[in-house]
Amino acid sequence: MAHKGYNNTHSKLRIGAEVLLKDKLSLIKGKRVGLITNPTGVDQQLNSIADLMYRNPEVKLTALFGPEHGIRGSEQAGKYVEYYKDEKTGLPVYSLYGPTKKPTSEMLKNVDVLVFDIQDAGSRFYTYIYTMALAMEAAKENHIPIIVLDRPNPIGGIKVEGPVLEDKYSSFVGEYPIPVRHGMTIGELSRLFNKEFNIGADLTVVKMEGWKRNMLYDDTKLQFVPPSPNMPTLDTAIVYPGAALIEGTNLSEGRGTTRPFETIGAPFINGDDVAGKLNAIKLPGVIFRASSFIPTTSKYVKELAHGVQIHVTDRKAFQPFEAGLYIVKTIHDMYPAQFAFRTPDSKGISYFDNLAGTGDIRKGIEQGKSVEQMEREWKRKLEEFMKVREKYLLYK
């Protein structure tokens, strides 16, 4: 159900896939189409774009490409999905996760145009945006155009938060120097990547109609299709830009519970104490509740963990990255003997640093810096990014 921000003026929203198939079919008509998609690639009646294209007599769909979790979304995080035939269409499905993250010339031999249609989650470390960037590189290298079908940023297109990634910390959870919460649609990001990071693909973005920057996902009439197994709801997407930092520590981020990323804890924590400390900070738009849980996957499987559940009371006021930082710092300070960041690699980079996009936050927490101090340190680069970002925005 839509929240109180919803009104009927939003009911005319059309996503890029719908605009393409109704008004811009000439972009793909008579061409052999390679489609990069997953379960989120649906129209407003929840029909798969792969199935719609396959059934359209004017479209010649020849290949499918699946990111992490596969084209139909059946695989867990990090699991490699090999080449297979799609049972619905009989078309070849190539994996863009694992050993081959970029479409190869062999995969593209029967493709005249690449189409990308996947729902993003609005955070720098959500891997689908790098699947898109690599597909753009492959399109450029193989002299074929690429079309990105735009979809809403589910957590809105106004707020931008967190440090801009430093090159040293780039990885598949952060490829380019953008902040953690970028406040852009996937189409806008493709334009920024293409120009600012010199991909130079023959890129077309099929814009949405009726989407406004201040809209969260439930301000639209779109159904929320989980973009990955541990992103089950819009609530998850809203906390994710900060709560995902927990993955870089020895705390459970709630994987293997019904509330991943909203539930955080470990066996050594006293949930009441942590909730009390966090609530005393009075962060905008959020209340922390003591919570106990037993994860079924990932960290502390079948162990009783204690911690907090993040309850967002005002989505527009809530600042997820700041909240995530306070959670990590608070638990680090309360449990110095038991809390740990993920072990750094041979270059001294912890997975936490890859997620944060900088080593300064981990060091700052270890040195006892305040969150305010750390925020001041990345402010200048964030302001510089905001000026660059402005050039690629497609919606008001």
Side-chain angles (χ1 to χ4, degrees), residues 75 124 190 226 234 375:
E75 304 301 330
R124 181 182 67 219
S190 72
L234 177 59
E375 285 175 334

Side-chain angles (χ1 to χ4, degrees), residues 92-124:
V93 181
Y94 300 101
S95 173
L96 297 182
Y97 189 76
T100 311
K101 291 186 170 73
K102 184 197 282 196
T104 62
S105 298
E106 182 65 19
M107 292 175 185
L108 296 171
K109 68 180 181 192
N110 290 318
V111 173
D112 299 318
V113 59
L114 265 179
V115 176
F116 183 94
D117 187 31
I118 290 177
Q119 176 62 56
D120 182 36
S123 298
R124 181 182 67 219

Side-chain angles (χ1 to χ4, degrees), residues 171-193:
S171 69
F172 203 55
V173 291
E175 200 87 36
Y176 296 116
I178 61 174
V180 173
R181 182 182 185 179
H182 48 70
M184 300 178 80
T185 68
I186 203 154
E188 291 172 337
L189 274 176
S190 72
R191 284 159 45 89
L192 183 140
F193 289 173

Side-chain angles (χ1 to χ4, degrees), residues 140-186:
K140 162 81 172 169
E141 289 158 11
N142 289 276
H143 312 293
I144 57 176
I146 184 164
I147 299 167
V148 173
L149 307 182
D150 214 1
R151 288 181 176 270
N153 183 323
I155 58 175
I158 292 175
K159 276 198 177 176
V160 178
E161 281 186 79
V164 172
L165 178 116
E166 297 166 24
D167 289 344
K168 178 183 173 183
Y169 299 97
S170 72
S171 69
F172 203 55
V173 291
E175 200 87 36
Y176 296 116
I178 61 174
V180 173
R181 182 182 185 179
H182 48 70
M184 300 178 80
T185 68
I186 203 154

